[in-house]
Amino acid sequence: MYDTSDIRKGLKVLLDGNPYTVVEFQFIKPGKGAAFTRTRFKNLLSGAVIERNIRSGEKLEPANVEERNMQFLYKEADDLVFMDDKSFEQVQVRADMIGESADLMKDNLSCTVLFFNERPVDVTLPTFVLLEVTASEPGVAGNTAAGNVTKAATVETGGTVQVPLFINIGDMIKIDTRTHEYVERVNKK
């Protein structure tokens, strides 16, 4: 059992029979009354976010979750197929579970898949991915006076990212999978 002092971002707990992860928390000590922790939880099955106040001394039940390192193999209709690095077992995960970052996934990408009662409930991509630009409008000379000017670029996986004007077709770029944003241009090796 977890105590209120164990609450931290990313903690997996069981509430009302469903697995939740802590999204935000704030310890509050009012001038009058008992201290409590205001906590926002995200349901790992539905994605719904709830807010609960947890009084000091209250116990939270740990969720029966397991993280496995898996490799992304390929897309199949609306599903993504992953393979366990150790057992070579294959698992299908709904693409909407990952969100817009699904279009940044290249074959053989190593990810962490979270299971609840042997059912995949969440996928964590690496923080950064390196992808090649396959389509982009050429930058127009003289358009940089406005400052931070960007253009749309399509990468090898089919995803679209806003990049600076100097990025060209064939360039390798680093993308943050959490924000879906361009980070830097990388030299090909």
Side-chain angles (χ1 to χ4, degrees):
M1 296 297 265
Y2 294 124
D3 193 54
T4 51
S5 62
D6 296 324
I7 295 175
R8 65 188 180 284
K9 197 172 181 176
L11 183 71
K12 313 291 190 278
V13 297
L14 201 62
L15 297 172
D16 306 324
N18 291 316
Y20 285 85
T21 185
V22 175
V23 178
E24 264 177 46
F25 70 97
Q26 180 182 15
F27 180 76
I28 297 174
K29 174 83 172 99
K32 209 172 177 182
F36 63 93
T37 304
R38 180 172 292 136
T39 314
R40 290 182 57 158
F41 295 99
K42 179 182 175 190
N43 187 317
L44 291 173
L45 299 177
S46 69
V49 177
I50 62 169
E51 191 170 304
R52 291 246 173 111
N53 292 336
I54 301 167
R55 293 185 304 270
S56 291
E58 237 179 275
K59 301 286 185 194
L60 294 170
E61 186 179 348
N64 179 23
V65 293
E66 175 189 3
E67 287 185 348
R68 294 185 200 161
N69 289 326
M70 301 189 96
Q71 194 174 75
F72 170 65
L73 296 179
Y74 56 89
K75 293 180 182 177
E76 183 177 272
D78 291 336
D79 291 338
L80 305 172
V81 180
F82 291 87
M83 180 183 67
D84 191 308
D85 288 346
K86 293 183 180 124
S87 69
F88 304 109
E89 170 189 345
Q90 291 187 9
V91 174
Q92 287 190 334
V93 176
R94 293 184 333 273
D96 61 357
M97 187 182 295
I98 299 168
E100 69 175 8
S101 293
D103 63 1
L104 298 178
M105 295 179 64
K106 191 174 176 180
D107 293 354
N108 302 323
L109 181 70
S110 291
C111 301
T112 303
V113 181
L114 185 71
F115 287 83
F116 173 68
N117 292 338
E118 297 301 316
R119 177 179 155 204
V121 292
D122 192 28
V123 177
T124 306
L125 275 63
T127 306
F128 301 105
V129 291
L130 299 176
L131 297 172
E132 185 176 339
V133 176
T134 56
S136 177
E137 294 293 320
V140 179
N143 262 3
T144 57
N148 201 7
V149 181
T150 61
K151 62 181 180 178
T154 304
V155 292
E156 61 187 286
T157 58
T160 305
V161 179
Q162 290 295 317
V163 298
L165 293 177
F166 61 82
I167 299 296
N168 298 311
I169 295 172
D171 286 349
M172 189 67 75
I173 61 172
K174 186 181 203 179
I175 302 167
D176 188 328
T177 58
R178 300 165 299 182
T179 60
H180 215 269
E181 291 177 354
Y182 164 88
V183 176
E184 65 182 350
R185 180 168 51 182
V186 179
N187 292 332
K188 289 185 182 180
K189 293 181 181 163

